[in-house]
Amino acid sequence: MEPDDTAIESEPATAASTEPETTRSRPLGWWLCLLIGAAAAAIGLLPWLVEGMRLPLQNLWATDATPDEYPLVLLPFSQYFLTRIAALLVVGAAIAGIVARATRSRQRRFGIAWMLAGLLAVQVTAIVQTTTVVREGLQERFESDLYLAALVAIAVLANLIGVLVMLLVGAAPRAGAVIGFAIAAVLAPSWLGGLLLPDPVTTGPATDAVLFVLRWLPAVLVGAAIAWGGVGSIGRVIAAIGALVVLWIGPALITAVSNAAGSRVLARHPDEMLDQAVGVFRAASTTPELVVPPIVVAVVVAALGLVGGLVVRRNRASTAAPGSSPGSDGASARADDDTVASGPPPSRTD
């Protein structure tokens, strides 16, 4: 219609003014949010899917089966794969949280709830399917029941941690999101290692390079998360410190649990297994050679990111300053500073 065309021409649209309107005009439907959550969960399981989904060897299996004869499961239930189980579930949840945060302006009121429902639909199905298959194949013994119950407890706990990570990353202010990123970062090496090194026995230059990347990946990710979150408020400073604490405690806890649970000698003595885990955790969390380097790397990466971001923002402000009118220099500078400090306004408090 001509009146509409005239109205459009009389108000030249800018990228800043039209983008929110275009975004709001195409909100994500509930079914799409549901699919996003399910897809994120599937991506989280990807390393295990690529590996073939063959159940790891079981000490309490009822029959003498070869590795190729074990059934297919959606999670690697084994006392030797506890970290992998947690990584598959938590990393998938973190991916869902990232997508949820990136699409907040396009979500309807319960968009993130539908994403969470899709995530849980896949992950709970994986836990139930694996539990059912393993229970049918284990020996009819008390030890088998205890073993399976422990694995289910680990999977459920990892699932709950994943839900927390998704909500922190997807819906919390930046301070909370930094903590969520830090939790996922600690488990990222196990997830990426399963994808790039399905056979950990393999050696060679490529394997050494991957192991080097996995060694420093959590520190780099935590540093990048701190730089993204910033330190412009007390809450963000506390979050940055909390992320460093997660980087300090998380790997030590993973090492302790893996070391104790992976010992067949201690499997029949839970009290000794607990003592072993506590001793390993104490050593791993207090040895300077293990604790200090990752924290230093994280701090350096965070500092570089913060300084780099500040330089980029100042360059943008100085570039925009000559184009402002003489009478509005002060107001334009203040507006630029506000825009630089806060970034594009999100749909909810960031």
Side-chain angles (χ1 to χ4, degrees):
M1 301 293 294
E2 291 182 1
D4 293 337
D5 295 338
T6 305
I8 293 174
E9 292 177 0
S10 64
E11 294 182 11
T14 63
S17 62
T18 59
E19 184 176 358
E21 295 178 1
T22 303
T23 300
R24 286 194 297 268
S25 65
R26 290 182 290 179
L28 298 177
W30 67 268
W31 57 271
L32 186 55
C33 292
L34 191 71
L35 289 178
I36 288 174
I43 294 174
L45 298 175
L46 185 60
W48 182 241
L49 302 179
V50 171
E51 196 170 336
M53 301 189 299
R54 190 71 63 179
L55 182 68
L57 293 175
Q58 304 291 312
N59 298 329
L60 297 172
W61 204 244
T63 61
D64 294 331
T66 63
D68 294 337
E69 294 175 343
Y70 276 90
L72 300 180
V73 291
L74 293 175
L75 287 173
F77 268 23
S78 171
Q79 70 269 33
Y80 308 112
F81 284 75
L82 298 183
T83 304
R84 179 73 63 82
I85 293 171
L88 295 174
L89 297 174
V90 173
V91 171
I95 294 172
I98 292 173
V99 178
R101 192 175 196 91
T103 60
R104 283 192 303 178
S105 61
R106 297 183 58 187
Q107 293 175 26
R108 298 181 187 273
R109 183 175 182 183
F110 298 106
I112 193 169
W114 284 111
M115 289 186 190
L116 179 60
L119 177 81
L120 290 177
V122 174
Q123 292 188 341
V124 172
T125 299
I127 295 173
V128 172
Q129 185 269 345
T130 305
T131 301
T132 302
V133 172
V134 174
R135 181 178 56 188
E136 293 177 352
L138 291 177
Q139 302 172 11
E140 294 293 337
R141 297 168 53 183
F142 172 75
E143 291 83 354
S144 299
D145 296 336
L146 183 62
Y147 166 77
L148 183 59
L151 289 174
V152 172
I154 292 294
V156 171
L157 178 61
N159 186 242
L160 294 176
I161 294 175
V163 171
L164 175 64
V165 168
M166 178 189 172
L167 295 178
L168 287 174
V169 174
R174 289 206 179 196
V178 168
I179 299 298
F181 281 128
I183 296 173
V186 169
L187 291 167
S190 180
W191 186 89
L192 188 60
L195 190 63
L196 300 180
L197 295 176
D199 185 6
V201 181
T202 305
T203 59
T207 301
D208 294 339
V210 172
L211 292 176
F212 177 82
V213 171
L214 298 180
R215 167 73 174 87
W216 299 107
L217 181 61
V220 173
L221 291 178
V222 169
I226 294 174
W228 170 81
V231 290
S233 67
I234 296 178
R236 295 185 181 186
V237 171
I238 294 175
I241 296 174
L244 294 177
V245 171
V246 171
L247 180 63
W248 167 36
I249 298 298
L253 183 61
I254 291 173
T255 301
V257 172
S258 301
N259 183 279
S263 175
R264 296 183 62 180
V265 177
L266 300 176
R268 297 178 179 273
H269 306 282
D271 53 340
E272 296 182 10
M273 181 181 292
L274 180 60
D275 292 340
Q276 173 76 1
V278 172
V280 173
F281 174 78
R282 185 182 298 111
S285 61
T286 57
T287 302
E289 293 81 0
L290 298 175
V291 174
V292 175
I295 293 179
V296 171
V297 170
V299 171
V300 170
V301 171
L304 292 176
L306 291 170
V307 173
L310 180 61
V311 171
V312 169
R313 290 193 294 268
R314 286 186 174 179
N315 288 338
R316 288 178 179 175
S318 62
T319 302
S324 60
S325 60
S328 60
D329 287 344
S332 299
R334 286 192 298 271
D336 289 338
D337 289 342
D338 292 340
T339 303
V340 166
S342 61
S347 59
R348 290 189 289 272
T349 304
D350 201 11

